[in-house]
Amino acid sequence: MTTPRLLALQDADTAIDRLRARRRTLEQGTELAAVRVTADAAEARLGELRLRLDELGRDQMRFEHEIDSMTQKEQAEQTRMYDGSIVNAKELEALQHEIASIRKRRSDREDELLALMELREQLEADAAVAEREMTTRRTEAEEAAGAAEEEFARVDADLAARGAEREAIAPEIEPDVLELYEDLRRLKKGIGAAALVDGVCQACHEQLSAVELDRVKRAEGIRRCEHCRRILVV
C-alpha cells in the first residue's frame, strides 16, 4: 500500500530537480552575461560619443585657426591697401577682390564653426546621458554578479538540506513502491507520485471515472492513475 511519505519524497525530489536546474543556469552565467552585454553596449556607446567629440574638438581648433589666419591676412591686406604702397589701379582692384574673397571664406568658415559647435553641444549632452547610463548598467552588472554568488551559495545549501531530507524519507517507503516511483520519475518528467484529491490526479489533473475511483480506494497494493499511470496517494 502506498504511503503518504511518498508525497514527501516527491516534494523533496521536485525541489531538488528545481534547485539543480537553477544551479545549472547560474553555472552557465547566461543571466549575468546578459546584464554585462547591456553594460558593455552602454560603455561602447559612450566611447563612440567621446571619439566623435574628440574629432569635433580637433575640427573646431582647425576652424578657429583658419579664421584667425584669414582675419590676420585681411588686416594685412587692408594695411597694404591704405598705406600708399599700391598706386596701380588694377593692382588695387585685385587687392579689393582678394579682401572680399577672404571675408567670404571667413564668413563661410564661421558658419561651419557655429554649426560644429552646436553639434558638439548636442553630443556633449548625449555623452552625459550615455555616461549616466553606463554607470547605471555597470552598477547593475556588479550587483548581479554579487547576487549570483549569494544565490549560488543558497542553492547549494538548499540542495544539501533537501538531499538530507530525501535520504531520511526514502528508507521509510516500501522497496517495491520506491523502485516503481524511481522508474516513473525517469519516464514522467520527474513526477512519479501524486495525491488524489476529489477524484482528480494532481499530476495529470485528470478526473478518474467513478468505477476507477472506487477501485483505487479499495485497492490494497500500489494505486495508480488510469490516465498517466503515476502512483496515487489517497
Side-chain angles (χ1 to χ4, degrees):
M1 184 173 180
T2 54
T3 170
R5 292 297 285 162
L6 190 60
L7 290 182
L9 182 64
Q10 178 66 76
D11 179 67
D13 282 335
T14 299
I16 289 171
D17 289 344
R18 186 172 59 251
L19 289 165
R20 284 174 176 168
R22 183 57 183 162
R23 195 178 195 281
R24 285 193 296 272
T25 299
L26 291 171
E27 287 174 336
Q28 291 166 358
T30 51
E31 294 175 354
L32 180 57
V35 177
R36 285 174 172 164
V37 165
T38 301
D40 289 343
E43 186 170 352
R45 168 63 175 159
L46 177 60
E48 291 172 0
L49 288 169
R50 285 175 171 170
L51 286 174
R52 181 64 177 136
L53 283 169
D54 289 343
E55 181 182 348
L56 289 178
R58 290 191 295 272
D59 287 343
Q60 181 176 342
M61 289 179 64
R62 178 167 56 83
F63 285 3
E64 289 172 346
H65 176 71
E66 290 177 5
I67 291 169
D68 184 60
S69 295
M70 284 186 280
T71 299
Q72 291 180 28
K73 185 174 182 181
E74 181 194 357
Q75 291 172 348
E77 299 290 41
Q78 288 277 11
T79 300
R80 285 183 59 210
M81 188 169 64
Y82 294 113
D83 66 4
S85 61
I86 300 176
V87 295
N88 185 286
K90 288 185 178 180
E91 188 176 351
L92 184 62
E93 183 180 355
L95 184 58
Q96 290 172 336
H97 284 305
E98 175 64 17
I99 291 172
S101 175
I102 292 171
R103 287 175 177 171
K104 177 64 170 60
R105 294 199 307 273
R106 184 179 64 188
S107 178
D108 290 343
R109 186 59 85 200
E110 286 172 342
D111 289 342
E112 291 180 62
L113 177 59
L114 179 61
L116 183 149
M117 293 174 68
E118 290 175 349
L119 176 58
R120 185 176 182 183
E121 183 178 356
Q122 179 58 55
L123 287 178
E124 286 174 343
D126 292 344
V129 173
E131 185 168 11
R132 290 194 294 271
E133 176 72 8
M134 184 203 69
T135 300
T136 298
R137 298 309 173 198
R138 281 297 174 210
T139 299
E140 289 175 351
E142 292 172 3
E143 290 175 349
E149 291 181 4
E150 292 176 1
E151 185 177 4
F152 207 107
R154 287 197 303 272
V155 168
D156 279 348
D158 290 345
L159 271 172
R162 285 295 196 170
E165 181 182 344
R166 188 188 199 283
E167 291 298 319
I169 296 172
E172 301 178 15
I173 299 170
E174 299 93 323
D176 58 333
V177 176
L178 184 60
E179 182 179 1
L180 177 60
Y181 165 78
E182 297 288 11
D183 289 340
L184 288 170
R185 261 179 48 79
R186 285 189 290 271
L187 296 172
K188 300 289 185 178
K189 298 180 179 179
I191 306 298
L196 181 65
V197 180
D198 295 329
V200 177
C201 170
Q202 298 303 296
C204 65
H205 304 289
E206 293 287 345
Q207 177 80 48
L208 272 63
S209 65
V211 173
E212 182 63 16
L213 181 59
D214 183 66
R215 188 193 67 76
V216 167
K217 288 182 177 180
R218 294 174 181 274
E220 293 296 329
I222 299 175
R223 299 157 172 172
R224 301 180 67 177
C225 173
E226 65 176 322
H227 301 288
C228 67
R229 303 306 296 158
R230 292 181 174 90
I231 300 171
L232 290 175
V233 178
V234 181

